[in-house]
Amino acid sequence: MYPSTSYITNIKLAEAKAEIAIDNFHRDDLLTIILIDPCTLNESELPMNRQEHIKTERKRLAYLGDALIDAVLANYLFRLERNLTTQEFDNYRQAVAGRPSLTLFAINLGLPDFSSSWNRKNRQLPIEEPGIWGEMFEALVGAIFLDARRNFDTIDQWLCDWFLVEAVNEYEQTQSAPSHP
């Protein structure tokens, strides 16, 4: 379902696709749903049943994306052949794939600047709304996976190249840095 109302024109779809940098990304319908900020959706004139449909689709994509992020992170850590305990794996997951990190990934990718709320006058800073932007990033991961015909290697490569390798390295640096009294 491709939402069609005037506020959708605020979405910078072409810019988002360019920044995502996935060759031949075709699922504009999914990307549009992802880039609808819940605040602008709530202010839209769409019938309630269409609003609920968009919210449900976004949640489904975010659920899929969340699982994929965890799987890609686990796969990456497994490839590093580290001898980690379950707790250490969990620590990586919380640090690298937690909502604050996903929010930063969304901001670094520019999602707030492409979304339907990019020009809202009363918009909060994206860092102050981790629920919105972290979920938007998860939904994007789900959409990329679906667009790639559920090819795990595509999403694994994209996440590692753009986000996870650097995030893992930063986490490891903070863990090895001496603490100051």
Side-chain angles (χ1 to χ4, degrees), residues 59-69 138 141-143 145-146:
K59 293 272 185 206
R60 290 178 65 223
L61 288 167
Y63 179 81
L64 176 60
D66 180 53
L68 287 164
I69 292 165
E138 290 169 337
V141 170
F145 179 71
L146 293 176

Side-chain angles (χ1 to χ4, degrees), residues 7-26:
Y7 75 96
I8 298 300
T9 60
N10 285 333
I11 292 174
K12 297 179 179 179
L13 195 60
E15 292 92 332
K17 287 173 70 169
E19 194 61 33
I20 291 166
I22 297 287
D23 290 336
N24 299 317
F25 185 89
H26 296 91

Side-chain angles (χ1 to χ4, degrees), residues 22-165:
I22 297 287
D23 290 336
N24 299 317
F25 185 89
H26 296 91
R27 296 300 306 266
D28 289 357
D29 59 328
L30 297 180
L31 191 54
T32 299
I33 287 171
I34 292 163
L35 292 173
I36 298 172
D37 183 321
C39 293
T40 56
L41 181 60
N42 293 337
E43 296 167 357
S44 75
E45 296 177 7
L46 282 175
M48 194 57 93
N49 64 338
R50 288 204 50 211
Q51 288 184 35
E52 288 304 318
H53 176 77
I54 291 168
K55 289 176 185 177
T56 299
E57 286 303 302
R58 183 175 167 163
K59 293 272 185 206
R60 290 178 65 223
L61 288 167
Y63 179 81
L64 176 60
D66 180 53
L68 287 164
I69 292 165
D70 284 349
V72 169
L73 177 60
N75 189 46
Y76 177 69
L77 293 173
F78 187 79
R79 284 193 310 248
L80 294 178
E81 297 185 16
R82 304 266 167 69
N83 190 15
L84 301 173
T85 66
T86 302
Q87 182 59 53
E88 289 169 326
F89 274 116
D90 234 17
N91 292 344
Y92 272 93
R93 189 171 58 78
Q94 288 177 14
V96 174
R99 197 48 63 93
S101 293
L102 299 181
T103 299
L104 290 176
F105 294 165
I107 292 168
N108 291 340
L109 191 57
L111 293 182
D113 297 328
F114 307 135
S115 77
S116 60
S117 67
W118 66 269
N119 64 350
R120 277 184 87 207
K121 292 178 181 154
N122 60 349
R123 181 174 131 184
Q124 292 183 346
L125 293 174
I127 199 73
E128 295 172 0
E129 297 182 304
I132 291 173
W133 304 107
E135 182 178 275
M136 189 179 284
F137 184 80
E138 290 169 337
L140 175 63
V141 170
I144 291 170
F145 179 71
L146 293 176
D147 183 72
R149 297 188 175 145
R150 293 178 167 82
N151 183 328
F152 184 79
D153 290 339
T154 298
I155 198 63
D156 181 79
Q157 183 79 43
W158 186 80
L159 276 171
C160 286
D161 287 353
W162 284 85
F163 304 102
L164 293 183
V165 172

